[in-house]
Amino acid sequence: MKFIHAADLHIDSPLLGLNAYEGAPAERIRGATRAALIALVDLALAERVDLVALAGDIYDGNWQDFKTGLFFREQMVRLARAGVRVFIAKGNHDAESVITKALPGVAGVHIFSSRKAECIELPEIGVAVHGRSFPEKAVVEDLLPGYSAPVPGRFNLGILHTSLAGNIEHPTYAPTTAAALCAKGYDYFALGHIHKREIVRESSPRIVYAGNLQGRHARETGSKGCELVVVEEGRIVSAEHVSLDVVRWHQIVLDATGVQTLEALASRFAQAAQAHADGARERLHAVRLLIEGESELAQREAEQPGTLAAAIQAATQELDGIEVWIEKVKIDLRSPIDRASAAERPDAVGDVIRLVDELQADEARLKAWMGEQLREMKNLPFGLLDADPAALDAEALRAALAEAESTLLAHLHSASQQGAGA
Ligand SMILES: [Mn+2]
C-alpha cells in the first residue's frame, strides 16, 4: 500500500503586493499553488498510490468564484478515475463555515464530517482512515479524543489539522500534544497547519507535518511538497518528502565584505544563487536578498541609490541554466570605517576626513581645490577627465570628492588592518 500525505495547499492564495514588483513573473507565481496540485496528482498517478490524505487548508479562504473549486475538483476527478481514494480533513482556512459555495461531490473523495470524527475502513488495502474537519475557523478544543480507537489488524491513518501545544509560534488551532497522538495507537498521523515540514516523530506512530505544497511568499522558503509513504504488511517501509513546488522562495544573505566592484558583487551573487538552486534547476527561484558587511559599495549605493539592486538584477541576466526573480534587495552595508570617530584620528585617515569635511563645507574652496587636483590627476572617477574643471558644478564635485574619500579610506583602512595582522 502506498499513500501520499499533503496539507496546506492554499489554492489561489492571493499574493499581495506582487504587482508592485517590476518584472515580476506574476502569472507564474499566482498560478503556482495550482501547478503544485497538478504536480501532486501527476505524482499520485505515476506512483500508483492507493490513497491521498489532505490535512486541511486546501483553500486559503472562501472562493472568490467557482473557478477555484472547479479547478480543485477537476484534479480530484483525475485521481478518482485512476481509482485513488482521497480523504480530506478541513482546516481553519477552509473550515465548513468559511467556504460558502458548494459543488457536486466526487465519488471516491471523502471529506470528513465537521460534527464528529469518522473512521473509514478500506479492507482491500488494509487501512482505516480517521479524520475530522474544522467546523469553524477557530477550534479551541482538542479534536483527538473524539477520534475512534485504532482498528485492529489495519494500518491506522489519522488525519488532523492541528497546532501541537507548546508551539507558541502559532495560535492554537485544535491543539493536541505529540504524547496524546502517540497514545492513540495509530500508525501514522498526517498533520496540517504548520507550513514548514516537520517530522514530529519518526515512527510508532510516525507523526509528520507535510508543510505546504507551494511556498507563497519570501517567508516560506525552501523545498515544498508532500510525503510519499510505502506500507508493507502494516508497517512503514519507506517515507520521503517529494518536492512539488514550481516556484521556490529563498532568502539569501550575501556578505559583501571586501567586495569592491559591481562585477564582483554580481559574481558573488551568481555563486550564491547557483548554490541555492542546486537540485531544483528547472524551477523558478524567487529571491529576497540581504547584502551586508563592510564594503566601499556602501558609498556607491549612498551616492546613487538603487545601484546595488540593479547590479543584482543585472546578474540574473547572465545566470546559467537557472531562472531567478529578485523579489527584494535589502541593504545593510557599512562603510569600511566609522567616519565620525576616524575624523578624530591623528593619522593620515584623520587628515583625509578633516580635509574633505572642510572642502564640503566651503563651496569656493571646494571648487578651487578640486580644480587644482583635477588638472593634475590622471585617473579620475566618473570620466571627469574629459570635463573642464571650471564647468563642473558643486554637486558633481562633492560626489567626486566623496567617492575619492571612500576609495582612499578603504585603501588606508585595509592597509592599516594588514599592518595590524588582521
Ligand atoms: Mn495553512
Side-chain angles (χ1 to χ4, degrees), residues 82 96 197 336 400:
E96 197 71 37
R197 179 180 186 248

Side-chain angles (χ1 to χ4, degrees), residues 7-10 56-57 59 92-93 161 192-195 212 216:
D8 299 279
L9 285 64
H10 290 262
D57 288 3
Y59 308 108
N92 54 302
H93 278 267
H161 198 79
H193 189 60
I194 307 295
H195 288 191
N212 51 353
R216 299 167 307 149

Side-chain angles (χ1 to χ4, degrees), residues 179-308:
L181 293 172
C182 285
K184 203 73 196 182
Y186 291 2
D187 299 285
Y188 187 103
F189 269 103
L191 304 185
H193 189 60
I194 307 295
H195 288 191
K196 188 171 165 40
R197 179 180 186 248
E198 183 186 345
I199 297 167
V200 178
R201 189 181 158 98
E202 284 282 349
S203 60
S204 311
R206 185 170 176 86
I207 305 172
V208 178
Y209 278 110
N212 51 353
L213 206 55
Q214 166 62 58
R216 299 167 307 149
H217 48 69
R219 291 188 310 282
E220 295 182 346
T221 57
S223 170
K224 299 288 185 179
C226 71
E227 304 297 305
L228 179 62
V229 184
V230 181
V231 177
E232 279 173 17
E233 289 166 5
R235 287 176 186 280
I236 296 170
V237 293
S238 85
E240 56 167 343
H241 166 81
V242 180
S243 289
L244 296 171
D245 50 356
V246 293
V247 177
R248 185 160 301 175
W249 293 87
H250 305 272
Q251 294 206 22
I252 301 180
V253 177
L254 205 62
D255 183 357
T257 299
V259 174
Q260 299 185 8
T261 64
L262 296 179
E263 287 74 16
L265 179 73
S267 121
R268 198 170 282 199
F269 170 73
Q271 274 175 18
Q274 291 286 1
H276 275 77
D278 216 27
R281 305 181 64 80
E282 72 294 349
R283 287 171 175 79
L284 171 64
H285 296 274
V287 172
R288 178 175 289 185
L289 182 69
L290 171 65
I291 303 174
E292 62 173 26
E294 194 175 275
S295 159
E296 285 118 83
L297 293 176
Q299 192 67 32
R300 283 290 272 277
E301 180 66 18
E303 285 164 16
Q304 188 60 258
T307 298
L308 302 191

Side-chain angles (χ1 to χ4, degrees), residues 86-373:
V86 180
F87 293 86
I88 299 171
K90 296 170 159 216
N92 54 302
H93 278 267
D94 58 350
E96 197 71 37
S97 71
V98 169
I99 309 292
T100 60
K101 299 179 181 73
L103 288 167
V106 178
V109 175
H110 183 78
I111 300 173
F112 284 108
S113 166
S114 63
R115 287 190 302 279
K116 59 177 185 10
E118 297 174 289
C119 171
I120 313 287
E121 283 200 61
L122 303 172
E124 66 279 14
I125 52 170
V127 177
V129 191
H130 307 258
R132 183 179 164 183
S133 288
F134 271 39
E136 273 136 357
K137 224 171 169 36
V139 173
V140 293
E141 88 214 70
D142 182 352
L143 298 180
L144 190 65
Y147 280 50
S148 59
V151 179
R154 302 274 190 240
F155 183 86
N156 284 270
L157 167 60
I159 307 176
L160 181 61
H161 198 79
T162 180
S163 65
L164 291 181
N167 191 335
I168 51 163
E169 271 182 59
H170 293 261
T172 51
Y173 290 105
T176 188
T177 62
L181 293 172
C182 285
K184 203 73 196 182
Y186 291 2
D187 299 285
Y188 187 103
F189 269 103
L191 304 185
H193 189 60
I194 307 295
H195 288 191
K196 188 171 165 40
R197 179 180 186 248
E198 183 186 345
I199 297 167
V200 178
R201 189 181 158 98
E202 284 282 349
S203 60
S204 311
R206 185 170 176 86
I207 305 172
V208 178
Y209 278 110
N212 51 353
L213 206 55
Q214 166 62 58
R216 299 167 307 149
H217 48 69
R219 291 188 310 282
E220 295 182 346
T221 57
S223 170
K224 299 288 185 179
C226 71
E227 304 297 305
L228 179 62
V229 184
V230 181
V231 177
E232 279 173 17
E233 289 166 5
R235 287 176 186 280
I236 296 170
V237 293
S238 85
E240 56 167 343
H241 166 81
V242 180
S243 289
L244 296 171
D245 50 356
V246 293
V247 177
R248 185 160 301 175
W249 293 87
H250 305 272
Q251 294 206 22
I252 301 180
V253 177
L254 205 62
D255 183 357
T257 299
V259 174
Q260 299 185 8
T261 64
L262 296 179
E263 287 74 16
L265 179 73
S267 121
R268 198 170 282 199
F269 170 73
Q271 274 175 18
Q274 291 286 1
H276 275 77
D278 216 27
R281 305 181 64 80
E282 72 294 349
R283 287 171 175 79
L284 171 64
H285 296 274
V287 172
R288 178 175 289 185
L289 182 69
L290 171 65
I291 303 174
E292 62 173 26
E294 194 175 275
S295 159
E296 285 118 83
L297 293 176
Q299 192 67 32
R300 283 290 272 277
E301 180 66 18
E303 285 164 16
Q304 188 60 258
T307 298
L308 302 191
I312 298 301
Q313 194 68 43
T316 66
Q317 297 170 343
E318 293 183 67
L319 286 172
D320 251 343
I322 56 166
E323 204 177 345
V324 171
W325 170 62
I326 305 297
E327 181 249 3
K328 191 179 278 183
V329 177
K330 292 181 176 177
I331 295 162
D332 184 17
L333 278 177
R334 293 182 311 284
S335 281
I337 63 158
D338 172 0
R339 220 178 158 279
S341 63
E344 309 288 328
R345 287 162 55 161
D347 57 7
V349 172
D351 287 344
V352 168
I353 292 173
R354 287 190 293 275
L355 173 64
V356 168
D357 282 349
E358 285 169 33
L359 294 173
Q360 297 285 27
D362 183 340
E363 201 173 303
R365 252 198 92 190
L366 173 74
K367 281 189 170 164
W369 190 86
M370 286 293 278
E372 201 178 309
Q373 304 301 317

